[in-house]
């Protein structure tokens, strides 16, 4: 009946529309239909479900569709990047099925959900599946086992998976746990659409009863999740349910919790964890029936990797043996004297000329090509594999299921063969000891520390703003001429004679100008430094690749020797070698202010070669004047020694009665940028260094242009302020020399440094803090006189006090501001606290270890050899877990040690062999560190250990320890292990 009425209305509308054209056919032009033609539109008989055949020209056009955007959005609604989830505690699901089914039909939130996870379903075996089934969803039940749970009723889990999001045949139960402490069910899903970075989806639903043990439940969840991650390293894993009093924050630190709304009254008991960041946004929904828990909608907010970054086109050079031989021939036959003679003492002109000529020869010898780079590119995805992917897409569009299955099977085999071929290539490189290429391939597979620096986007104005920000330095008192005040006058450079021209491609030492300092370089020294260059590093502003310098070292050592000696002779450095290219790398995902960028400085590789040569000459001259408690850039001394020395002084002081330890951690504002060249010159002259070399160093620090390079533009150059330049070799050494004149060491107080990280440790006996406060005041005054700006806001103090009756410590005032007293502080990568315990440090180490375990699992999915897995573990995981382990390994609690051994055992199951646990590694490293201290007379702890040598045997005497915490520190524990390895006499 409906189609009959529609037919008559249609005929009436068409007759009314074309009545005028029929009556005025001779006067007007248009489409004309007769009555018989219109009646012929009627089909022989109306069939329910069929529409009449209407001519295309009279069909009503759809309006407001916006070129199909609305339809595409409707289709994508069931193709989210990560599944939309509804979770909650329903308290008896069977009597709420009518309401739940109504919600899935009427409400948009419930209708668009990919997975619905419910706890406390109260289902049992007498309730059939038909009573808990929703149209369009597949039900997965996990009823409570009364025998295992020890409870007659309650509990139970249920998951509903949308058939529009995932095929019911692709739903598999991975794990099911029933115990008095936790109920758990894990299902594996292969939806119709998933981003390339995920292989599948694993949904874990959890219910922890109020009477369950939280620690036991979290251990069970961790064990199940770790096993699933090992089997499916590329899976997107979500854990949801009613956690009550438990939390996975410390058990699974790499998972992120996304429920931010209240779920029961003002409490948040129903949680959702996922193994990726920025995955969901939470919204509270009304409870189901009379449940006392609200439902929670987790809407996807994840952006796939392919959309996070745009496609970039890189221009690369195709290096080959033939191209390198051609370049060597071009440089071999060059008459360098013809390039040098016209310039004379014009060092800048000669440097520009030589640099341009080397780049000219490189561009003519090495071909270039453009390579598009996609953010989700994989090296094992070959062109044949891409052709099969396109073939599968065409078969799916054509609707041919048989062809689709055939192509899918072929694609699966081809993908497996491609991965095996890439794995075999890495293993062959490992057999040939090409460790660098193997490591690069493993990082590509795992995604660990992706190679390459991605600069920020922006325009010229933003580049100039960033350049101005990076060029700024803290407020420094200036005189009337704009120069820093109360600085010594600059010395007049000594007169120089004209250099001899370079006549041959190889530099003759007799023809090279002798600098006034007596310092000169030979071609052999230059060639050795060129051959040590890392050819994979980026080129500086001069555009000369380190690959060219290393592979053509024999051809370039002569001309570079001449330029280096000329620079020392004239006591100047070419402007091109002093220029810095700053690449701003975002610190945050969405940077806003210039301070959200970290500048990566690129300088000339040729200048770095000269700096290394100068540094080898300066180090023995300055070493007698260096601070003995400067632990940075010293041989056989590092972070471990700095932390050990600080803790040794603290433990030995606290071993006495009525004693506290105050530790002040200073923070400088742009420490390297505040070095004053004229002050440094005066310090170097006090060390009796040659004046011409000092003038060369002063020129090295002044007049340095810099510019900022964004991805599509370059800023205007600016002349940098005073200070040690970034990205250079001499800067750290010059900073330690600049700060070497302030040293302090006594029985109760000392000042130690690690580059610009400065610490004052004071032992306060019976409340006598005068020496400690005087030392702090003296250091602040010295910093002000040397124009080093202290950041009082970031300067922190930690007070270690174990006395039973103690009063709050009075803060130290610096520049009118009280220094904040904190309970813990991160010093050189190690978390220190005022109780000298290591729980905070254990939390940080455990979190890093668990995040790096993911990369090891990804590598194992390629079925690489155990040797490569073990190498990756030692480089990535072991270096994180055992970082500075000699400092805290002896004093760590058994609970924390067992916690750190968990990722080691998991890594051992992935690698396929037993790995050394924490106790074994700490024992070996402590003995080795003690032997290093005993063999290094310059080590700050050498005298302390040397006094403990026994006069009767080769053993060491134990230091006197009245407190248990001191006996568990490094030195007593290391001596005990050392003596146990010696035969008794």
């Amino acid at each position: 009946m409906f189609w009959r009425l529609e037919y008559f209305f249609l005929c009436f509308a068409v007759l009314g529309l074309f009545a005028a054209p029929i009556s005025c056919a001779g006067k007007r032009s248009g489409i004309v239909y007769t009555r018989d033609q219109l009646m012929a539109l009627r089909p022989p008989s109306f069939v329910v479900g069929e529409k009449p055949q209407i001519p295309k020209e009279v069909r009503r056009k759809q309006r407001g569709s916006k070129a199909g955007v609305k339809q595409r959005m409707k289709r994508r609604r069931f193709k989210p990047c990560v599944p939309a989830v509804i979770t909650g505690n329903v308290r008896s699901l069977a009597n709420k099925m009518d309401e739940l089914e109504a919600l899935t039909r009427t409400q948009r939130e419930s209708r668009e959900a990919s997975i619905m996870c419910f706890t406390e379903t109260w289902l049992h075996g007498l309730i059939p599946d038909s009573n808990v089934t929703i149209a369009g969803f597949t039900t997965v039940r996990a009823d409570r086992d009364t025998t295992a749970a020890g409870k007659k009723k309650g509990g139970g889990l249920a998951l509903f998976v949308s058939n529009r999001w995932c095929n019911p045949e692709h739903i598999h139960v991975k794990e099911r746990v029933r115990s008095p402490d936790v109920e758990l069910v894990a299902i594996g899903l292969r939806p119709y659409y998933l981003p390339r970075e995920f292989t599948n989806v694993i949904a874990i639903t959890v219910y922890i009863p109020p009477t369950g043990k939280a620690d036991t439940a979290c251990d069970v969840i961790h064990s199940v999740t770790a096993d699933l991650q090992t089997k499916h390293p590329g899976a997107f894993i979500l854990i949801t349910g009613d956690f009550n009093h438990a939390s996975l924050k410390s058990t699974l630190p790499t998972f992120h919790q996304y429920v931010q709304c209240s779920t029961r009254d003002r409490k948040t008991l129903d949680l959702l964890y996922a193994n990726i960041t920025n995955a969901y946004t939470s919204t509270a929904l009304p409870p189901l029936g009379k449940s006392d828990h609200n439902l929670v909608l987790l809407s996807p907010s994840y952006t796939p990797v392919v959309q996070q970054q745009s496609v970039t086109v890189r221009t690369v050079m195709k290096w080959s043996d033939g191209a390198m031989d051609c370049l060597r021939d071009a440089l071999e036959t060059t008459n360098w004297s013809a390039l040098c003679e016209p310039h004379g003492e014009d060092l800048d002109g000669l440097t520009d000329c030589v640099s341009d000529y080397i780049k000219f020869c490189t561009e003519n010898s090495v071909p270039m090509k453009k390579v598009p780079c996609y953010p989700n590119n994989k090296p094992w995805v070959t062109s044949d594999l891409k052709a099969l992917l396109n073939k599968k897409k065409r078969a799916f569009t054509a609707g041919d299921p048989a062809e689709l299955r055939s192509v899918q099977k072929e694609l699966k085999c081809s993908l497996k063969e491609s991965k095996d071929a890439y794995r075999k290539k890495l293993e062959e490189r490992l057999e040939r000891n090409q460790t660098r290429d193997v490591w690069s391939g493993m990082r590509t597979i795992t995604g660990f520390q992706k190679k390459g620096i991605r600069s920020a986007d922006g325009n010229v104005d933003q580049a100039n703003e960033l350049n101005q920000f990076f060029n700024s330095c803290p407020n420094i008192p200036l005189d009337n001429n704009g120069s820093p005040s109360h600085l010594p006058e600059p010395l007049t450079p000594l007169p120089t004679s004209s250099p001899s021209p370079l006549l041959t491609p190889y530099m003759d030492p007799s023809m090279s100008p002798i600098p006034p300092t007596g310092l000169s370089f030979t071609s052999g020294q230059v060639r050795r430094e060129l051959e040590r260059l890392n050819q994979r590093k980026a080129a500086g502003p001069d555009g000369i690749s380190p690959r060219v310098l290393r592979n053509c070292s024999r051809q370039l050592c002569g001309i570079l020797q001449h330029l280096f000696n000329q620079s020392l002779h004239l006591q100047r450095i070419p402007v091109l070698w002093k220029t810095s290219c700053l690449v701003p790398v975002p610190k945050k995902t969405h940077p806003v202010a210039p301070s959200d960028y970290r500048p990566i400085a690129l300088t000339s590789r040729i200048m770095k070669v000269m700096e290394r040569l100068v540094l080898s000459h300066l180090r023995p001259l300055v070493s007698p004047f260096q601070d003995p408690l400067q632990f940075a850039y010293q041989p056989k001394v590092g972070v471990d020694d700095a932390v050990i020395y600080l803790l040794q002084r603290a433990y030995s002081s606290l071993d006495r009665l009525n004693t506290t330890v105050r530790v002040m951690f200073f923070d400088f504002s742009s420490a390297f940028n505040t070095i004053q060249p004229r002050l440094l010159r005066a310090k170097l002259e006090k060390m009796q260094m040659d004046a011409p070399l000092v003038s060369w160093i002063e020129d090295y620090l002044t007049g340095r242009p810099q510019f900022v390079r964004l991805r599509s533009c370059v800023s205007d150059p600016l002349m940098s302020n005073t200070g040690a330049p970034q990205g250079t070799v001499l800067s750290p050494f010059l900073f330690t020399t600049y700060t070497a004149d302030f040293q302090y060491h006594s029985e109760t107080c000392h000042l130690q440094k690690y580059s610009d990280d400065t610490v004052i440790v004071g032992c306060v006996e019976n409340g006598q803090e005068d020496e400690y406060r005087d030392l702090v005041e003296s250091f602040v005054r010295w910093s002000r006189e040397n124009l080093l700006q202290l950041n009082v806001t970031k300067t922190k103090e930690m007070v270690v006090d174990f006395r039973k009756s103690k009063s709050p410590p009075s803060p130290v005032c610096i520049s009118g501001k009280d220094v904040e007293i904190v309970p813990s502080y991160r010093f050189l990568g190690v978390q220190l606290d005022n109780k000298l315990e290591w729980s905070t440090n254990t939390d940080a180490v455990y979190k890093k270890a668990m995040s790096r375990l993911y990369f090891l699992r990804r590598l194992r999915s390629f079925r690489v050899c155990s040797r490569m897995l073990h190498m990756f573990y030692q480089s990535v995981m072991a270096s994180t877990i055992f970082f500075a382990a000699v400092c805290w390994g002896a004093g760590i609690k058994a609970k924390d040690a067992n916690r750190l051994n968990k990722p080691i055992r998991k890594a051992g199951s992935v690698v396929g062999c037993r790995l050394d646990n924490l106790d074994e590694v700490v024992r070996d490293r402590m003995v080795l560190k003690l032997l290093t201290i005993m063999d290094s007379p310059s080590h700050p702890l050498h005298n302390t250990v040397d006094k403990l040598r026994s006069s009767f045997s080769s053993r060491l005497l134990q230091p006197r320890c009245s407190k248990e915490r001191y006996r568990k520190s490094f030195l007593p524990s290391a001596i005990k292990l050392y003596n146990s390895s010696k035969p008794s006499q």
Side-chain angles (χ1 to χ4, degrees), residues 472-484:
S472 61
C473 65
N475 296 326
I476 296 175
L478 304 177
D479 56 16
N480 297 330
N481 298 326
S483 302

Side-chain angles (χ1 to χ4, degrees), residues 717-948:
L718 287 178
M719 198 65 67
S720 65
N721 294 322
T722 57
Q726 297 183 15
T728 58
V729 177
L730 280 177
S731 295
F733 174 79
L734 295 178
F735 181 81
T736 57
T737 305
Y738 188 76
T739 59
D741 55 343
F742 190 90
Q743 306 175 15
Y744 190 88
H745 186 277
S746 67
E747 292 294 330
T748 56
C749 290
H750 80 276
L751 181 142
Q752 67 179 68
K753 311 168 190 172
Y754 192 92
S755 188
D756 59 333
D757 293 313
T758 305
V759 182
I760 290 180
V761 181
C763 173
V764 179
E765 296 184 6
N766 301 319
Q768 300 297 324
E769 301 178 350
D770 295 340
E771 183 182 3
Y772 171 73
R773 291 182 178 271
D774 292 343
L775 177 58
V776 172
E777 183 180 354
S778 301
F779 181 74
V780 172
R781 184 172 58 253
W782 174 87
S783 300
R784 189 181 303 112
E785 292 175 354
N786 288 268
L787 303 180
L788 293 175
Q789 304 297 313
L790 283 174
N791 190 341
V792 184
T793 305
K794 293 185 179 181
T795 298
K796 307 296 180 182
E797 186 182 17
M798 188 175 70
V799 180
V800 184
D801 190 357
F802 294 107
R803 295 178 299 174
K804 294 182 179 180
S805 59
K806 52 187 177 182
S807 58
S810 57
V812 177
C813 182
I814 298 178
S815 301
K817 299 180 181 179
D818 290 340
V819 178
E820 181 185 2
I821 300 177
V822 295
S824 63
Y825 187 83
R826 187 173 183 267
F827 176 62
L828 301 179
V830 180
Q831 292 285 348
L832 305 176
D833 57 28
N834 56 2
K835 296 181 180 179
L836 295 182
E837 296 178 349
W838 302 102
S839 299
T840 306
N841 184 73
T842 301
D843 294 339
V845 174
Y846 180 78
K847 184 176 181 179
K848 290 183 180 180
M850 293 301 295
S851 64
R852 281 153 174 75
L853 185 59
Y854 161 77
F855 301 112
L856 188 65
R857 288 167 173 152
R858 286 291 302 269
L859 189 63
R860 181 179 180 263
S861 65
F862 269 70
R863 297 183 299 175
V864 299
C865 61
S866 59
R867 182 183 173 189
M868 292 176 59
L869 290 174
H870 191 268
M871 181 175 68
F872 190 86
Y873 164 78
Q874 292 292 342
S875 303
V876 176
M877 279 197 64
S879 61
T880 301
I881 299 175
F882 305 127
F883 176 75
V886 295
C887 306
W888 48 264
I892 193 172
K893 295 181 179 179
K895 177 182 177 180
D896 294 332
N898 293 333
R899 190 181 178 197
L900 290 180
N901 283 324
K902 283 184 179 180
I904 298 176
R905 288 195 297 268
K906 294 294 182 182
S909 64
V910 174
V911 176
C913 63
R914 183 190 177 278
L915 302 174
D916 294 339
N917 57 25
L918 182 65
D919 296 336
E920 296 171 349
V921 174
V922 169
R923 183 171 60 251
D924 296 340
R925 293 192 178 185
M926 289 179 69
V927 175
L928 183 62
K929 176 59 68 175
L930 182 62
L931 293 175
T932 304
I933 295 174
M934 295 170 61
D935 296 338
S936 301
S938 61
H939 196 283
L941 284 176
H942 176 78
N943 293 333
T944 304
V945 177
D946 193 60
K947 293 178 181 178
L948 299 174

Side-chain angles (χ1 to χ4, degrees), residues 276-297:
I276 59 174
T277 57
N278 302 324
Y280 289 106
T281 56
S282 60
T283 306
L285 298 179
L288 197 62
K290 295 183 179 180
S291 174
D292 56 352
H293 286 248
N294 298 329
L295 297 181
V296 181
L297 170 65

Side-chain angles (χ1 to χ4, degrees), residues 3 42 86 276 356 466 512 540 549 623 691 789 835 837 887:
W3 291 108
R42 176 180 178 178
I86 291 180
I276 59 174
D356 292 341
L466 289 172
S512 177
L549 298 175
S623 58
Q789 304 297 313
K835 296 181 180 179
E837 296 178 349
C887 306

Side-chain angles (χ1 to χ4, degrees), residues 588-630:
K588 304 179 180 178
T589 306
H590 303 287
V592 178
S595 58
D596 296 337
Y597 294 91
R598 178 181 292 105
I600 305 298
L602 301 178
T603 56
S604 173
R605 292 291 165 181
I606 297 178
M607 184 59 200
K608 287 187 177 182
V609 172
M610 184 178 182
E611 290 179 57
R612 291 189 179 93
L613 294 171
V614 174
L615 181 61
S616 62
H617 176 75
L618 288 177
R619 195 181 297 277
L621 299 178
V622 180
S623 58
F625 304 94
Q626 289 285 11
D627 187 355
L629 295 184
Q630 172 63 264

Side-chain angles (χ1 to χ4, degrees), residues 675-682 697-699 701-702 722-723 738:
I675 292 181
Q676 300 300 316
R678 291 168 60 186
L679 280 178
L680 179 62
R681 179 185 184 119
I697 295 175
E698 185 177 10
D699 185 75
L701 295 174
T702 56
T722 57
Y738 188 76

